[in-house]
Amino acid sequence: MVSDDLVDVEFRHEEGDVLAGQSGGIYSLTDHLLTARANRLQAGQADTELRSLSHLDEESVKLLEHQVTAAHRALFEMDGKALLADEVGLGKTIEVGMILKEMHYRDTSDSVLILTPAQLAQQWQAEMLEKFGIEFVCNYDDEFEGFAAHDRIIASIDTAKSDRHRKTVLARDWDVLVLDEAHYVKNEDTDRYDLLDRLSYDYAFFLTATPIQNDVTDLYNIISLLRPGLFGTREGFHNYFVNKSQEKLVNRNELQKRLSEVMIRNRREETDIDFTKRNVTTRTFEQSTAERDLYEAVTDYVRTAYGEDQGQKLVLMTLQKEVVSSPAALEGTVRSQLDDDDGQPAHDTLLKQILECIEAIDTPTKQERVQRIVREAQERVEKGRVIVFTQFRATQQQLLETFADEGYATHAFHGGHSSDEKEEIVEQFEEEGGVLVSTDAMNEGRNLQFCNVMVNFDLPWNPMKVEQRIGRIHRIGQDREVYVFNIALEDTIEEYVLDRLYHKIDLFNQSVGELSEILTRLEETGRNFEDEVFERLVDADSEIELENNFDEMAVDLQEQRDLADKVEDFNSGVFEGFDLGASDD
């Protein structure tokens, strides 16, 4: 353990001929075909047990009861078409892995297409191979030759819908379609939705922790892709289930009944998972005189240059982030700016002043502090494992050299490594211990439950990135308390982001899904979180005005959080009493 000292509508099917159902209800040809397809799952089998589970390596994947139940229901009670809507962190990917493993065992999945957000594609690839022994090619792999060349493909949904690949994707008849983060296709007027609507497949499994983000129509759109006609027309659905203000559900029992045909949702409190405690310690440290001079020089340059040329925004934002990371990170960007400034004397003078300030700094304050945290972890934590996150490669290199000089086993992880190299680095870190210094290339895609200490050496302005970092170690499978240390310099943009923004949205107690709701709503107003932070910095003429600017942004965040809470209350109304078990028949 590390001490805290440390630092009425009638529902009709929209497609297919109508047949007479045994109960006198509507039964479409589409339903008949779905049932026939589902029977393929049981062909040659005397039961509907998940027979492939006995072939899984218990060391690679530990199955939880709610996951096994979800996989079974999706396959055998929902005709192989289901919306897996467990809350964040309950292992929806594992549920899909079990489903695909069973279908492979029963020889019903010759072609499988998994569509994900771009940043999650390789994570899916790794988990399917490592946990279930199912090999997929990813669209980011060198050996990827297109959507017609492979039978098991994981790809970003934006790659699949692109002009280059769309025709090929739609030309195939896929056995299985998996769609991760299905709420991204909730808008029927987008290319993503159109792609999913046109795809040909036999079985489909959609995943989302937030099936409703704005109103219940989101849910209609997603489920209509899985089961066309289940809820009738969009207008009829909306009129039947939501009153005019869209704030109160009506006919809730009917909604839940129909949802139970296609959706599985588990909640944290309904499972046996005992998530370990998360301890977050934030420490701000006084800058040295030289560091303060450097910070003020960089801020002056950023405000001056941005006032003259807003086209430089990305570079200037980078400078403002680098100055609180390390002089090493800052220096390279400053020298590049000197080379690219086309001889503007005023700019050159300011940039040269920044370089002089860099030279005046001996050992950065934050570097000293992170050494103390690592030293403590070496004494109290198994194999002394610590993950240190930074946004910049130059800072990473400096930290690696510092830790190596002190005799620690060091490991570097960044986006320049191949997939195989990344796998090897993680394995070495687990075996040898020591310090792994990573860029945000590890924000997503790797599970590091064998480590329980993390340091945010510099903090991304986007809080989702911070939570993604923490999510590498604080997740299912972590059996120890997790310790997260945030390091920041006083009177800097980093401290403002921490104190006024992160704490306002209670970042470190939010789940990824909850945080996503807040940020999504903010960005739907047309504002990007990081852009907003930068604009409030450069627009301030004084420290008091800067404080006021960030206080205003904090109020905006609180408003978005209140709206997100209302959505969660609405979701709870939809899902309250939702029957998660099998029917009695």
Side-chain angles (χ1 to χ4, degrees):
M1 178 183 297
V2 175
S3 67
D4 284 339
D5 299 341
L6 287 171
V7 270
D8 152 68
V9 325
E10 179 181 359
F11 292 93
R12 299 182 182 276
H13 290 271
E14 295 180 336
E15 65 180 45
D17 297 330
V18 177
L19 306 176
Q22 290 181 348
S23 62
I26 297 172
Y27 188 68
S28 73
L29 180 58
T30 300
D31 292 327
H32 174 73
L33 292 174
L34 286 171
T35 302
R37 288 170 178 169
N39 286 338
R40 287 175 55 198
L41 290 169
Q42 303 176 31
Q45 304 294 338
D47 55 57
T48 57
E49 295 300 316
L50 295 173
R51 303 181 64 184
S52 66
L53 297 189
S54 61
H55 298 273
L56 293 177
D57 182 355
E58 294 183 2
E59 295 297 320
S60 298
V61 55
K62 292 179 173 57
L63 304 179
L64 301 175
E65 183 178 354
H66 76 272
Q67 296 169 341
V68 176
T69 300
H72 186 277
R73 290 192 64 207
L75 279 172
F76 301 121
E77 297 177 23
M78 295 183 172
D79 297 340
K81 288 191 174 183
L83 176 63
L84 303 174
D86 291 356
E87 289 183 337
V88 170
L90 296 185
K92 292 184 290 295
T93 307
I94 298 299
E95 294 168 0
V96 169
M98 283 189 281
I99 290 168
L100 295 180
K101 185 74 174 179
E102 187 70 17
M103 296 185 78
H104 181 67
Y105 184 85
R106 294 170 182 259
D107 197 26
T108 56
S109 59
D110 292 335
S111 59
V112 182
L113 175 63
I114 300 179
L115 297 178
T116 78
Q119 69 271 21
L120 298 180
Q122 291 178 314
Q123 174 182 341
W124 269 89
Q125 183 184 34
E127 291 209 20
M128 291 301 103
L129 179 60
E130 295 166 5
K131 291 182 169 63
F132 300 98
I134 307 175
E135 190 168 355
F136 283 82
V137 65
C138 176
N139 68 282
Y140 298 110
D141 293 342
D142 292 338
E143 58 267 35
F144 179 70
E145 297 178 357
F147 288 86
H150 312 277
D151 287 331
R152 300 184 184 277
I153 300 173
I154 297 175
S156 74
I157 188 170
D158 290 330
T159 297
K161 75 176 179 59
S162 67
D163 292 341
R164 179 181 178 184
H165 295 294
R166 178 184 177 88
K167 184 176 180 179
T168 305
V169 173
L170 294 177
R172 292 193 68 169
D173 293 323
W174 302 91
D175 287 322
V176 185
L177 169 68
V178 176
L179 175 66
D180 193 16
E181 305 293 352
H183 49 273
Y184 287 145
V185 300
K186 67 181 186 294
N187 187 339
E188 73 273 15
D189 295 325
T190 64
D191 290 341
R192 291 175 177 174
Y193 188 96
D194 184 69
L195 177 75
L196 269 295
D197 195 31
R198 293 173 183 270
L199 268 171
S200 174
Y201 49 83
D202 291 342
Y203 311 109
F205 307 96
F206 290 5
L207 294 76
T208 178
T210 53
I212 298 175
Q213 290 194 308
N214 295 311
D215 61 56
V216 75
T217 306
D218 296 343
L219 186 63
Y220 173 90
N221 290 340
I222 295 170
I223 288 182
S224 290
L225 291 170
L226 277 168
R227 298 285 183 89
L230 180 64
F231 283 123
T233 66
R234 183 176 287 104
E235 182 181 5
F237 170 85
H238 193 271
N239 290 338
Y240 190 67
F241 288 119
V242 186
N243 68 1
K244 293 182 179 179
S245 65
Q246 297 187 15
E247 293 180 355
K248 181 180 179 181
L249 283 171
V250 293
N251 299 312
R252 182 179 298 176
N253 291 339
E254 178 66 21
L255 176 60
Q256 292 173 347
K257 177 182 177 181
R258 290 182 177 271
L259 282 174
S260 68
E261 297 179 32
V262 68
M263 188 176 81
I264 301 167
R265 182 170 175 84
N266 292 298
R267 297 175 180 174
R268 289 191 179 215
E269 61 266 25
E270 297 165 339
T271 70
D272 295 327
I273 301 171
D274 185 16
F275 288 91
T276 61
K277 183 180 179 182
R278 176 191 294 188
N279 305 279
V280 180
T281 301
T282 299
R283 292 288 184 264
T284 56
F285 304 106
E286 184 179 357
Q287 302 176 79
S288 67
T289 301
E291 286 174 324
R292 185 177 297 279
D293 290 342
L294 176 61
Y295 182 80
E296 291 176 353
V298 169
T299 303
D300 287 344
Y301 172 74
V302 167
R303 285 174 172 159
T304 300
Y306 188 65
E308 297 173 2
D309 181 7
Q310 297 188 6
Q312 296 188 75
K313 185 174 186 176
L314 182 58
V315 173
L316 299 176
M317 286 178 66
T318 299
L319 287 168
Q320 200 70 53
K321 294 176 181 179
E322 288 173 336
V323 68
V324 293
S325 178
S326 72
L330 180 64
E331 184 175 358
T333 305
V334 171
R335 294 192 181 280
S336 294
Q337 278 293 93
L338 272 170
D339 293 339
D340 297 339
D341 251 344
D342 298 326
Q344 297 184 48
H347 285 193
D348 288 354
T349 298
L350 291 173
L351 290 167
K352 289 175 181 177
Q353 288 176 355
I354 292 173
L355 290 176
E356 292 174 2
C357 291
I358 290 175
E359 294 174 1
I361 297 175
D362 185 12
T363 302
T365 299
K366 289 168 69 171
Q367 185 174 309
E368 294 177 342
R369 301 297 180 170
V370 73
Q371 289 175 263
R372 291 176 55 188
I373 295 173
V374 172
R375 197 175 301 127
E376 180 94 5
Q378 288 289 315
E379 299 174 1
R380 305 192 183 199
V381 179
E382 178 190 2
K383 294 189 178 181
R385 297 190 193 99
V386 180
I387 301 174
V388 180
F389 269 105
T390 177
Q391 299 174 82
F392 304 104
R393 291 280 291 273
T395 302
Q396 179 189 42
Q397 186 58 41
Q398 188 176 68
L399 289 171
L400 288 166
E401 292 172 0
T402 298
F403 293 131
D405 289 345
E406 294 197 359
Y408 300 124
T410 58
H411 314 269
F413 190 107
H414 55 71
H417 293 126
S418 68
S419 296
D420 290 342
E421 288 171 334
K422 290 176 180 177
E423 187 68 30
E424 184 177 351
I425 291 165
V426 171
E427 290 176 356
Q428 289 176 349
F429 178 48
E430 181 175 11
E431 179 179 344
E432 300 173 6
V435 186
L436 184 149
V437 185
S438 177
T439 65
D440 285 328
M442 195 183 279
N443 261 4
E444 296 176 338
R446 296 287 164 178
N447 302 326
L448 304 169
Q449 296 95 321
F450 57 82
C451 178
N452 69 323
V453 182
M454 174 184 295
V455 179
N456 287 310
F457 189 80
D458 48 52
L459 284 156
W461 295 351
N462 188 330
M464 181 64 80
K465 292 183 180 180
V466 182
E467 180 58 36
Q468 287 166 347
R469 289 178 175 182
I470 298 173
R472 297 307 95 222
I473 64 174
H474 195 226
R475 58 195 299 111
I476 292 178
Q478 178 59 262
D479 56 8
R480 295 172 293 173
E481 291 190 21
V482 166
Y483 295 87
V484 179
F485 299 91
N486 301 316
I487 302 176
L489 295 175
E490 293 179 356
D491 301 321
T492 66
I493 186 67
E494 202 168 41
E495 184 185 26
Y496 282 112
V497 170
L498 263 173
D499 285 350
R500 285 174 168 77
L501 303 184
Y502 286 3
H503 291 165
K504 191 68 176 181
I505 60 176
D506 197 18
L507 166 66
F508 301 108
N509 290 317
Q510 298 287 330
S511 72
V512 172
E514 293 164 337
L515 187 57
S516 177
E517 283 291 308
I518 298 170
L519 297 183
T520 297
R521 291 188 165 277
L522 183 68
E523 292 182 357
E524 282 177 351
T525 67
R527 296 175 292 167
N528 173 277
F529 193 92
E530 294 198 355
D531 287 347
E532 187 87 357
V533 170
F534 182 73
E535 295 288 351
R536 291 182 184 273
L537 171 69
V538 297
D539 288 346
D541 293 328
S542 67
E543 186 172 342
I544 293 177
E545 186 173 354
L546 182 60
E547 292 181 4
N548 289 337
N549 284 349
F550 275 89
D551 285 341
E552 289 173 0
M553 188 173 179
V555 170
D556 290 343
L557 275 174
Q558 184 61 55
E559 291 176 351
Q560 301 309 321
R561 183 180 179 184
D562 291 343
L563 287 170
D565 288 343
K566 290 181 180 179
V567 171
E568 178 57 31
D569 289 343
F570 185 73
N571 279 341
S572 297
V574 174
F575 304 130
E576 182 182 358
F578 190 76
D579 183 7
L580 300 177
S583 67
D584 295 331
D585 296 335

